[in-house]
Amino acid sequence: MAKKGIRDRAAPLAHGLAWFYALLLVFPLYFIIVSAFKDNLAIFNSPLSPPSSLSVSHFVDAFQRVELGRALWNSTFITVSAELLTLALAIPASYALARSRGRIAAWCERFFALGFLIPSFAALVPTVLLAIHLQLFQTRAFLIIFLPAGALPLSVILLTQFMRAIPSDLEESAVMDGAGRIRILLRIYLPLTMPGIITIAILNFLSFWNEYLFALILGGPDPAVRTVQVALPNLVSQTNTEYGVLLAGALITMIPVYLVYILLQRRMESALLEGAVKS
Amino acid sequence: MTTTPHAAHGFVDEPGAGTSDKPATTPAGGRRTRRDKLLVLLATPAVLWYAVFTIGPLGAVFYIALLDWEGLLSPSTFVGLDNFTKILHDPVFWTAAKNSLIQIGVVIPVMIPLAFMLGYYLTLEPRGHHLLRVILFTPALVSLSAKAMVFLAVFAPSGALNGLLDLLHLDSLTRPWLANEATALPSVIAVDLWSGIGFTAILFSARLSSISREVYEAARIDGAGHWRRMWRIAFPMTEDYFGVLAMLQFLWVLFSSAGSVLLLTGGGPGNASTTLSFLIYDKAFTQSEVGYSQATGVLLFFVGVVGMAGIRSLFRQRY
């Protein structure tokens, strides 16, 4: 009896705590949006109230002060290129790991799994040396070839699991028909593992677009190279900490991520459902 | 933090897919070796890429730690273990070590159990849980620099937090949160917790939803409340996963705090919020002591290994 009482009394507490935390998460987002239209005085005096005007001057300011337009292009270029390179490396490798039965394959898989435990930050300094050595330091090219390396462990392991789920009789019959490995990969595996490919593409997009420290050090401060994540914090000194402009800039950098997430999440869910129905 | 969405996702998918589906061995006769050669060829670029850009640089840390090296573009000389002696006599290192210890000592014990409980709460599918899930996921979408800009505005002397305290007539509590020696590190930790709990909770709920309802039902009939079902049933059944997430979070906090410290406080005031991770960054890129920086990296590596072993033995590990 007493236990039932505890449960009932604990319920409002649980609801309360969960939603209190949700409120803490939503507050900064709300705060960004309303503050992007306010000046410093209004942000301090009434942090919660909606803005009195909807002037876009802060957004224009943010764009001009740190050349956000160029930075957005750099981020897009780097993210898309690195994404394509990651898929080009991960798809054949996953297929190979899923279908070979040798000891080398098992060893390779463990080698990639080890990557989960390696925080990429640990190797930042030697990576800079590598970039200097290749004469690619502070270029977009180096970021494009470097970022996939960090994304490979997850991409390969995840995709290998998707590829394994495909029955091998499908492949055996294609082999009987005289199809080569590459054709089998492109014609059978690629379409069937699309849900997996979309999943890793989304995860990689998030991590490439949002990368900060490596983009800062390997890309550097040159406006011709720097990404939005590197350009954004420059607003602090450029505007003499005008928070409205700062937050307008932050909002601009977040829009692409939210757009892609909203657009692709639906596709990912339906794709995953299809995959589940088929198997 | 945004718990490396990467690593964490991989672990989520593992329980379902990782263990049972080894490919059925269907020997294809004589063609097998030739076919396997092509397979090796297909895997080679990815393995090479990973070896050259991840494993190679990681190994180089151990060599650079033995060099006296003033700046990335200047020549270096081999000095053996000198960097380590220097580090261990440097008070700044010990301040950073203390700060890292505090950061880990607060973040892990607070975040992991809260995230576990929140994950359990989500699996009960209370009213509004769909919306709650979406909200909990948001910090994972926001980049480190955007997050830092927001919290700069929240913690600033005339920022949102002080503004709120003002409105509540708690003026005595207002302070420059990031520039105050006593609150700089706690502010960094608060940002870690803010962004980490929600995402980790979603990971837990994905794992907890694999426990069948009958198990809970049986416990309910025996008179166990949610608290006991959570810690006596759900926890032991997912203890290995609890350990995995604690471990990933530990590694993340230990190694990757440099970015958020750099953006929020720059390690200051003084060295009040300098963590070991930030020290590695700062020594290499602003103080031009590359050898010192990488020797700290080596020490951090050993701390990481010892910490992981500790967490492993705390939660029985099955993989």
Side-chain angles (χ1 to χ4, degrees):
Chain A
M1 230 53 78
K3 273 158 199 157
K4 193 159 187 277
I6 288 167
R7 202 164 73 227
D8 289 343
R9 260 182 285 138
L13 183 71
H15 295 307
L17 282 177
W19 285 98
F20 174 70
Y21 177 60
L23 196 69
L24 282 181
L25 289 181
V26 173
F27 169 70
L29 294 179
Y30 170 78
F31 176 68
I32 296 179
I33 295 170
V34 295
S35 304
F37 300 97
K38 294 183 191 168
D39 58 24
N40 277 1
L41 197 66
I43 291 174
F44 179 70
N45 284 337
S46 46
L48 295 180
S49 60
S52 47
S53 81
L54 285 179
S55 150
V56 293
S57 68
H58 285 165
F59 292 88
V60 177
D61 242 25
F63 252 97
Q64 287 170 348
R65 300 274 182 109
V66 292
E67 299 187 56
L68 267 191
R70 253 173 124 181
L72 279 167
W73 161 245
N74 286 332
S75 277
T76 310
F77 179 68
I78 290 169
T79 302
V80 171
S81 310
E83 181 87 89
L84 291 175
L85 183 55
T86 309
L87 292 178
L89 290 166
I91 292 171
S94 313
Y95 169 68
L97 292 187
R99 280 304 162 240
S100 63
R101 298 172 282 272
R103 232 179 314 154
I104 302 175
W107 196 84
C108 277
E109 212 176 334
R110 249 173 265 146
F111 183 54
F112 279 116
L114 191 70
F116 289 134
L117 294 179
I118 301 176
S120 54
F121 172 78
L124 176 59
V125 170
T127 307
V128 170
L129 298 175
L130 185 63
I132 294 172
H133 190 73
L134 295 171
Q135 301 196 312
L136 290 172
F137 187 46
Q138 304 204 325
T139 61
R140 293 185 297 191
F142 189 77
L143 278 172
I144 292 168
I145 60 173
F146 168 76
L147 288 173
L152 276 174
L154 177 76
S155 304
V156 169
I157 298 280
L158 210 58
L159 212 48
T160 302
Q161 287 169 5
F162 272 92
M163 300 248 182
R164 278 216 179 103
I166 292 175
S168 36
D169 358 343
L170 250 178
E171 181 169 3
E172 297 299 329
S173 60
V175 172
M176 294 303 164
D177 294 343
R181 280 277 185 195
I182 307 288
R183 243 183 82 194
I184 292 173
L185 171 59
L186 293 178
R187 290 289 168 78
I188 299 178
Y189 280 79
L190 212 54
L192 287 178
T193 53
M194 223 12 119
I197 292 172
I198 291 174
T199 304
I200 63 168
I202 290 172
L203 295 174
N204 291 339
F205 163 76
L206 274 177
S207 86
F208 294 165
W209 182 271
N210 285 342
E211 176 57 48
Y212 173 65
L213 209 53
F214 276 87
L216 172 73
I217 303 293
L218 295 172
D222 181 359
V225 174
R226 72 181 180 200
T227 64
V228 274
Q229 309 301 343
V230 179
L232 179 64
N234 282 325
L235 280 173
V236 178
S237 54
Q238 284 292 314
T239 64
N240 204 8
T241 24
E242 208 181 304
Y243 292 109
V245 181
L246 224 64
L247 295 173
L251 202 57
I252 292 168
T253 69
M254 284 158 63
I255 288 168
V257 173
Y258 275 91
L259 273 182
V260 170
Y261 177 70
I262 292 165
L263 280 176
L264 286 184
Q265 201 203 10
R266 272 197 209 126
R267 261 185 78 189
M268 176 162 73
E269 276 166 10
S270 67
L272 284 171
L273 266 178
E274 266 169 46
V277 169
K278 267 176 196 149
S279 62
Chain B
M1 76 79 258
T2 318
T3 341
T4 46
H6 260 172
H9 265 285
F11 280 103
V12 171
D13 283 274
E14 239 165 90
T19 43
S20 59
D21 37 29
K22 283 270 175 278
T25 14
T26 41
R31 274 175 309 184
R32 195 176 143 181
T33 35
R34 195 169 51 86
R35 288 174 56 193
D36 276 1
K37 255 184 209 155
L38 183 66
L39 286 182
V40 170
L41 206 66
L42 286 175
T44 306
V47 173
L48 274 182
W49 218 270
Y50 176 57
V52 169
F53 291 104
T54 302
I55 304 295
L58 203 67
V61 170
F62 290 83
Y63 175 66
I64 299 171
L66 306 176
L67 303 176
D68 178 26
W69 199 351
E70 319 259 302
L72 289 165
L73 298 171
S74 44
S76 58
T77 45
F78 187 86
V79 291
L81 296 175
D82 279 10
N83 285 322
F84 293 94
T85 346
K86 197 166 146 196
I87 287 173
L88 296 176
H89 288 100
D90 183 358
V92 176
F93 170 80
W94 291 107
T95 305
K98 191 192 78 193
N99 288 341
S100 281
L101 195 70
I102 294 173
Q103 193 186 20
I104 287 166
V106 174
V107 171
I108 309 295
V110 173
M111 182 189 296
I112 302 294
L114 282 181
F116 173 77
M117 294 197 285
L118 192 53
Y120 177 83
Y121 176 78
L122 281 175
T123 56
L124 301 177
E125 308 196 343
R127 211 184 313 150
H129 71 102
H130 285 297
L131 177 64
L132 194 58
R133 255 171 221 275
V134 172
I135 294 174
L136 293 180
F137 194 68
T138 48
L141 299 180
V142 181
S143 74
L144 189 61
S145 43
K147 215 179 328 191
M149 293 309 104
V150 177
F151 280 98
L152 281 182
V154 168
F155 288 131
S158 55
L161 183 54
N162 283 344
L164 275 179
L165 290 172
D166 233 26
L167 283 178
L168 299 171
H169 302 291
L170 294 167
D171 319 42
S172 56
L173 291 177
T174 62
R175 64 200 67 197
W177 298 91
L178 295 171
N180 181 315
E181 201 156 314
T183 53
L185 184 63
S187 300
V188 172
I189 292 174
V191 176
D192 280 345
L193 289 173
W194 175 82
S195 55
I197 293 174
F199 190 70
T200 315
I202 291 190
L203 296 180
F204 268 124
S205 87
R207 181 62 190 263
L208 286 169
S209 65
S210 68
I211 297 177
S212 83
R213 301 218 156 236
E214 283 107 67
V215 178
Y216 290 133
E217 199 49 37
R220 197 182 65 83
I221 289 163
D222 287 348
H226 279 301
W227 186 260
R228 275 181 60 193
R229 271 183 260 171
M230 189 158 61
W231 291 110
R232 295 286 171 79
I233 298 166
F235 176 67
M237 289 180 82
T238 54
E239 201 180 334
D240 53 343
Y241 196 61
F242 206 88
V244 166
L245 287 186
M247 205 152 85
L248 287 175
Q249 198 59 49
F250 163 74
L251 287 175
W252 174 262
V253 173
L254 183 67
F255 280 92
S256 309
S257 58
S260 56
V261 171
L262 173 68
L263 285 166
L264 288 171
T265 66
N271 290 309
S273 59
T274 297
T275 60
L276 287 173
S277 168
F278 179 75
L279 189 66
I280 293 177
Y281 166 86
D282 203 42
K283 285 287 176 188
F285 298 111
T286 50
Q287 298 186 29
S288 297
E289 290 189 59
V290 183
Y292 181 115
S293 155
Q294 297 306 278
T296 311
V298 170
L299 291 178
L300 206 58
F301 174 83
F302 287 114
V303 173
V305 170
V306 170
M308 267 164 58
I311 294 171
R312 264 173 99 95
S313 63
L314 210 58
F315 307 99
R316 67 206 145 91
Q317 281 288 321
R318 295 213 197 84
Y319 53 102

